[in-house]
Amino acid sequence: MSETLLEVSNLSVEFRSSRGITKAVQNVSWSVARGETLAILGESGSGKSVSANAVMGLIDSPPGHITSGTAMYRGRDLLKLSRSQRRDINGKSISMIFQDPLAHLNPVYPIGWQIEEVLRIHGASASEARSRAIELLEHVKLPNARERLRDYPHQFSGGQRQRIMIAMAVALRPDLLIADEPTTALDVTVQARILELMKDLQRESGMGMVLITHDLGVVAQIADRVVVMKDGKIVETGPVTEVFKDPSHPYTRQLLDAVPGQEPFRHVEQKREVLVEGKKLVKEYILSSNPFKRNAATVTRALDEVSFKLHAGETLGIVGESGSGKTTLARTLLRLTEPTSGEIAYKGGNVFSLKGGDLRDFRRKLQVVFQDPTASLNPRMSIFEIVSEPWAIHPGVLPREKWRAEVEDLLVQVGLRAEHADRYPHQFSGGQRQRIAIARALALRPEIILCDEAVSALDVSVQAQVIALLKDLQKKHGLAFIFIAHDLPLVRDFADRVMVMCKGKLVEEGTTEEIFSNPQDPYTVELIAASPHHDPDAHARYGTA
Amino acid sequence: MAYYLTKRTIWSAVSLFGLVVFVFFMARLTGSPVDLYLPIDAPESLRADFERIHGFDLPLWQQFVGFLGGLLTFDFGESLRQGLPALDLVLQAMPTTLLLALYSIGTALVVAIVTGALAAWKPNSIFDRIATVLSLLGASLPNFWVAIVGVLIFSVTLRWVPTSGTGSAAQWVLPVLVLAIRPAGLLVQVARSSMISALSSAYVKTAQAKGAAPARIIFIHALRNAMLPVITVAGDQAAGIINGAVIVETIFGFPGVGKLLIDSIMFRDFAVVQAGVMVTAVAIFVLNFSIDIVYAVLDPRTRGQ
């Protein structure tokens, strides 16, 4: 075992507000050694980020208060340093990267300036900083580093932005890098490359890493040891291989069981009626508002001749990374946007020529559940108003005097309670809100429910519960689902058939078993390979501490 | 950007044209100038002569065509009251108003940015509370009252500055301060709230993680991001002053556009009213144009859109 870099002991942090005291972490202890990667694993609200923020001095006080504990680094307690002593360590000896690099880079300064800044704060001259910035960007493999120094954060892709953040964090060769959900919003193939980059940098410099994440696959892929947190407390700690193979705490067991992608493939019944058929759908967007500058470079094809069939009662999974066109396909299907060409046939007629009552009828049969339940439920409407609103829009489905009983029945069906009808969205957790959105989708007794990343924002254990609910409803009501997701294991568990999309094109289509057991297209192969697996043995190990 | 600016200019020209047409007809709804310029008992022949000389006897559409013809050569006609070209009168008054707007908004901006930034650094501190109360007071005090009380205290009692006129620098102090109070009060509020959100943003957290000192975080990282809403409101306030700080110009005897316009409306001096509206509209258009450019300089995301 090499030397311990940072040792956090008995740390407790609480947040005080007018509504009371929240104990964010209680008596948390962990340590990380040179060259080692420690993962802090937990779901939302587990307090997994709090101890790292305390170490970096990033907890705002008020409302945050550190009530006990020490964080020993090179013989000094980081929690007792003055502000200026802290500033000498931050960015130089201990640095941090975050989730959502777009928000964490200052939008109004060029990226070169932002990398040079950390060097200049810690004493480098302007010219030194400039040449080192180029070196660093080349080191993190940003294409055309020299020319792109003067570009701004919004001109880069998500993965490139995280590379820029990493360049900034390793600029002064820190002893320790803390990474808070560094790959969470990224596509799986991009995630795989970023994790690889972090591991490479660690091997070169021998720095310690603390990786904060909710993703068991990421932990299995790059961490040596893991700390599992729940409700502000550590429930289990140990080497990743041991903890994941033989968890001692029931919560860890539960997390491992909830990881999607472990169920047998769904059996596909043949010869069902075709409900909806998309024929050669094309959607073009014009990027320039200047009508004199319209050419191939300013027109982008979000959908490029995509055709599909949805059968009654089946789940059609649509997978793809950002920019693949999967959301455009959903919006076209919902008739929220008109395609440039192509048609969608529903019961023999073209959806895009439906008008008035026929259009309303189509909308009734096709319902939707969106990704973010906080945004898709009106905060000023009660749950009763939210779930019953579709009946106000579609008169004749249900007489008003039956609304109350039906709302209560729907809430029970989605696993909530009848008395929840009089509450408001903010009184529910993320998973419960998504259940409300599902109840609303069910209200009109649709034939098809479109789920656009409907469980992506939820914790793993909640994801599993919502998927189980959807399967149950499918069995009970014979619903067809269009399940759009970037997370392959989820699709693997829930879909009967899968369409893989890339850059607006349909690259491969087949039964779930065909796609996952025997992918044909190189892109599908890459996508499946990049998807992290929670079994540590499934990964080629990068060397252990 | 060039395409956007060209489009903007063309649309502004269209709305400017609509505006002068509207003003032309609305002004004539107020009645004939004859009643104001000639004695009540003036004989009918004299009234007819007056109308003929100034062209008020022609049918409205002919007057309008003549007016449009004049527009093409920047000829707005002559002032009835002073017998001088209307445009010259307006252009004489304009610099005074523009300077008044520039100084007042400049003062307001400096006060607002410094106060807002400091108040936002520690929300709910003593400084923040005092700044909030004073800025609310500033934003709600009526101009004319502040002007009159200001004259009473600083000119009449203390004799620090003159009561009116535009000759010396000292004569500008009071009008500029009076005009700056309201925008300053408003802008402190805007600057404070946009600084608070900038300071709680993710990129500020990154700066802290880099080891940046508080001054660097406030003035380099947060301030530039927080400036956009401040600039928008400041532009709005400046447009208000350019449009005529009538009350303040009248109290301090400042020969600005606001005073000229009000006097001309009172005397149905149509040519001056039309020229005045046109020139202030162009000034406001130029102002908005400059704000767009400031936006593009401050925020790279708005460039090339």
Side-chain angles (χ1 to χ4, degrees):
Chain A
M1 193 77 186
S2 50
E3 69 172 300
T4 298
L5 269 176
L6 174 70
E7 179 146 27
V8 174
S9 322
N10 294 317
L11 179 70
S12 298
V13 178
E14 57 187 42
F15 291 94
R16 296 173 195 158
S17 74
S18 54
R19 271 171 290 155
I21 294 174
T22 313
K23 293 189 171 160
V25 294
Q26 295 172 60
N27 291 319
V28 165
S29 304
W30 48 261
S31 67
V32 59
R34 189 167 289 284
E36 181 193 43
T37 302
L38 173 79
I40 303 181
L41 175 71
E43 296 191 294
S44 51
S46 62
K48 61 185 185 294
S49 300
V50 177
S51 50
N53 279 322
V55 166
M56 291 298 284
L58 294 179
I59 289 180
D60 286 326
S61 176
H65 295 271
I66 295 169
T67 50
S68 75
T70 56
M72 298 305 292
Y73 169 73
R74 290 185 180 242
R76 292 197 289 179
D77 181 2
L78 293 176
L79 306 179
K80 295 203 170 59
L81 294 185
S82 73
R83 286 185 181 277
S84 77
Q85 286 172 320
R86 266 238 65 84
R87 286 202 292 273
D88 287 341
I89 292 176
N90 277 12
K92 187 179 176 189
S93 312
I94 306 180
S95 59
M96 187 162 182
I97 62 172
F98 305 89
Q99 185 182 353
D100 192 3
L102 179 61
H104 282 88
L105 287 164
N106 195 324
V108 302
Y109 292 104
I111 55 122
W113 183 95
Q114 300 193 47
I115 295 173
E116 289 158 32
E117 186 189 28
V118 69
L119 296 156
R120 288 206 319 276
I121 287 173
H122 295 284
S125 72
S127 61
E128 264 169 22
R130 170 56 53 100
S131 59
R132 183 92 177 98
I134 299 172
E135 240 174 76
L136 282 161
L137 286 174
E138 282 170 350
H139 201 86
V140 297
K141 302 187 184 76
L142 187 82
N144 307 320
R146 194 175 291 269
E147 292 91 80
R148 301 213 65 181
L149 277 181
R150 289 175 154 194
D151 284 346
Y152 292 90
H154 70 277
Q155 294 166 303
F156 294 86
S157 70
Q160 288 174 332
R161 287 183 204 122
Q162 198 57 287
R163 285 175 193 272
I164 294 164
M165 288 293 287
I166 291 173
M168 215 150 79
V170 300
L172 290 155
R173 299 189 181 87
D175 289 334
L176 180 66
L177 173 67
I178 300 175
D180 191 351
E181 301 270 11
T183 57
T184 298
L186 302 177
D187 287 327
V188 280
T189 54
V190 180
Q191 164 169 291
R193 283 180 224 127
I194 294 287
L195 293 176
E196 202 174 309
L197 171 70
M198 288 169 62
K199 212 65 202 177
D200 282 348
L201 291 169
Q202 180 180 40
R203 229 188 344 226
E204 281 168 29
S205 69
M207 64 183 176
M209 286 205 290
V210 176
L211 176 79
I212 299 158
T213 184
H214 70 282
D215 190 329
L216 287 89
V218 170
V219 174
Q221 191 169 339
I222 79 165
D224 302 305
R225 282 191 309 123
V226 61
V227 163
V228 183
M229 289 194 66
K230 182 181 195 293
D231 301 330
K233 291 180 188 138
I234 292 179
V235 298
E236 183 162 4
T237 179
V240 174
T241 31
E242 283 174 27
V243 172
F244 277 24
K245 279 212 179 111
D246 186 20
S248 63
H249 194 278
Y251 177 69
T252 317
R253 174 83 268 159
Q254 188 195 327
L255 274 182
L256 285 163
D257 287 344
V259 172
Q262 306 184 65
E263 293 185 24
F265 292 113
R266 302 230 300 185
H267 175 66
V268 187
E269 288 171 44
Q270 295 299 316
K271 291 197 180 161
R272 278 178 170 166
E273 163 206 10
V274 174
L275 271 182
V276 179
E277 183 175 3
K279 294 172 190 161
K280 294 204 163 185
L281 289 166
V282 174
K283 177 71 189 178
E284 287 179 344
Y285 285 104
I286 294 155
L287 300 177
S288 169
S289 60
N290 184 345
F292 303 108
K293 272 195 189 162
R294 248 161 234 175
N295 55 45
T298 60
V299 173
T300 179
R301 274 200 166 189
L303 286 181
D304 197 353
E305 303 208 345
V306 175
S307 303
F308 67 91
K309 277 182 187 155
L310 175 71
H311 302 87
E314 75 169 351
T315 302
L316 174 62
I318 301 178
V319 295
E321 299 189 292
S322 51
S324 64
K326 57 192 194 299
T327 296
T328 308
L329 183 61
R331 290 177 53 83
T332 312
L333 195 57
L334 291 164
R335 235 192 114 167
L336 295 175
T337 178
E338 302 274 320
T340 311
S341 68
E343 63 173 75
I344 292 177
Y346 171 70
K347 297 197 170 159
N350 183 4
V351 166
F352 298 102
S353 50
L354 292 178
K355 283 197 186 71
D358 290 338
L359 177 59
R360 214 166 38 233
D361 208 43
F362 168 71
R363 293 212 188 281
R364 190 191 141 185
K365 295 294 182 192
L366 174 60
Q367 290 291 304
V368 61
V369 179
F370 293 103
Q371 172 169 8
D372 180 359
T374 311
S376 64
L377 301 177
N378 187 332
R380 294 184 195 283
M381 285 167 80
S382 72
I383 304 310
F384 171 75
E385 289 168 322
I386 288 170
V387 178
S388 65
E389 196 186 18
W391 299 318
I393 298 166
H394 297 265
V397 177
L398 196 72
R400 195 172 279 266
E401 62 270 17
K402 292 192 180 159
W403 286 9
R404 182 80 207 183
E406 183 76 9
V407 167
E408 290 178 356
D409 182 51
L410 283 168
L411 289 177
V412 172
Q413 274 194 54
V414 297
L416 297 170
R417 291 202 305 273
E419 65 264 28
H420 285 158
D422 296 315
R423 295 195 190 166
Y424 286 84
H426 70 267
Q427 295 168 291
F428 296 90
S429 69
Q432 288 175 319
R433 281 181 210 154
Q434 204 58 299
R435 287 171 190 269
I436 295 163
I438 293 168
R440 173 174 62 183
L442 287 173
L444 290 172
R445 294 163 196 156
E447 289 175 344
I448 308 160
I449 292 183
L450 190 156
C451 301
D452 189 0
E453 299 278 7
V455 295
S456 305
L458 305 176
D459 282 325
V460 183
S461 56
V462 184
Q463 257 179 2
Q465 292 161 12
V466 173
I467 293 287
L469 169 68
L470 293 177
K471 284 181 180 171
D472 186 41
L473 292 170
Q474 182 167 45
K475 211 177 289 169
K476 212 185 292 175
H477 302 288
L479 288 165
F481 282 99
I482 297 173
F483 188 77
I484 297 176
H486 69 277
D487 188 346
L488 277 86
L490 270 175
V491 175
R492 183 191 179 280
D493 280 356
F494 185 39
D496 298 303
R497 286 191 308 119
V498 177
M499 289 167 56
V500 182
M501 291 187 66
C502 179
K503 293 178 183 152
K505 286 196 171 73
L506 177 61
V507 296
E508 190 166 357
E509 187 186 0
T511 64
T512 307
E513 186 164 6
E514 284 164 2
I515 296 285
F516 282 89
S517 309
N518 187 19
Q520 297 300 310
D521 189 271
Y523 177 73
T524 316
V525 175
E526 189 193 352
L527 209 55
I528 292 171
S531 189
H533 199 278
H534 71 287
D535 177 4
D537 291 344
H539 295 284
R541 302 290 292 158
Y542 291 90
T544 43
Chain B
M1 191 76 186
Y3 168 74
Y4 167 75
L5 293 180
T6 321
K7 202 167 102 179
R8 221 14 232 275
T9 311
I10 292 170
W11 276 111
S12 303
V14 171
S15 45
L16 223 56
F17 178 77
L19 181 72
V20 291
V21 170
F22 181 74
V23 170
F24 179 89
F25 289 104
M26 286 307 284
R28 275 155 184 79
L29 281 180
T30 58
S32 168
V34 180
D35 308 330
L36 287 177
Y37 286 83
L38 296 182
I40 295 172
D41 55 355
E44 202 49 45
S45 62
L46 198 62
R47 297 176 80 93
D49 278 350
F50 183 91
E51 292 206 321
R52 191 169 40 75
I53 290 165
H54 295 287
F56 295 127
D57 59 333
L58 298 171
L60 204 54
W61 69 269
Q62 277 191 18
Q63 289 185 39
F64 185 60
V65 170
F67 166 71
L68 287 185
L71 264 189
L72 293 176
T73 56
F74 297 104
D75 176 10
F76 286 85
E78 282 189 355
S79 161
L80 282 178
R81 268 195 316 153
Q82 308 188 34
L84 294 169
L87 189 62
D88 290 1
L89 284 175
V90 173
L91 291 181
Q92 270 170 26
M94 205 62 204
T96 310
T97 300
L98 286 182
L99 281 179
L100 207 54
L102 183 73
Y103 295 151
S104 328
I105 294 299
T107 312
L109 270 177
V110 172
V111 171
I113 290 169
V114 175
T115 317
L118 294 177
W121 177 244
K122 287 235 180 314
N124 298 322
S125 62
I126 298 290
F127 180 83
D128 180 33
R129 279 162 206 237
I130 294 173
T132 303
V133 170
L134 287 183
S135 64
L136 274 175
L137 202 67
S140 36
L141 284 178
N143 265 339
F144 64 90
W145 183 82
V146 178
I148 292 169
V149 172
V151 169
L152 204 66
I153 297 175
F154 297 103
S155 306
V156 179
T157 313
L158 296 171
R159 296 184 180 276
W160 288 355
V161 288
T163 52
S164 67
T166 50
S168 67
Q171 282 162 322
W172 284 80
V173 175
L174 213 46
V176 165
L177 289 183
V178 168
L179 278 177
I181 286 180
R182 262 172 71 88
L186 208 63
L187 289 173
V188 167
Q189 298 286 310
V190 177
R192 175 184 176 272
S193 70
S194 69
M195 271 304 273
I196 287 179
S197 75
L199 284 170
S200 61
S201 68
Y203 55 81
V204 161
K205 202 171 167 190
T206 306
Q208 288 171 329
K210 278 165 142 182
R216 188 174 185 89
I217 289 175
I218 299 179
F219 293 106
I220 294 182
H221 282 280
L223 188 60
R224 191 159 152 192
N225 281 284
M227 282 302 286
L228 295 177
V230 176
I231 295 291
T232 308
V233 177
D236 234 41
Q237 295 292 310
I241 298 179
I242 293 172
N243 248 326
V246 183
I247 293 166
V248 170
E249 283 180 0
T250 309
I251 290 175
F252 292 101
F254 252 58
V257 170
K259 191 161 164 1
L260 179 70
L261 268 178
I262 284 292
D263 290 350
S264 306
I265 292 168
M266 295 293 204
F267 286 97
R268 291 182 196 155
D269 200 346
F270 297 156
V272 179
V273 175
Q274 284 154 12
V277 169
M278 187 76 182
V279 170
T280 48
V282 170
I284 287 167
F285 166 68
V286 171
L287 175 79
N288 285 329
F289 212 83
S290 331
I291 288 173
D292 280 353
I293 290 168
V294 173
Y295 251 82
V297 170
L298 283 177
D299 188 349
R301 287 168 299 181
T302 59
R303 290 173 210 165
Q305 274 177 16

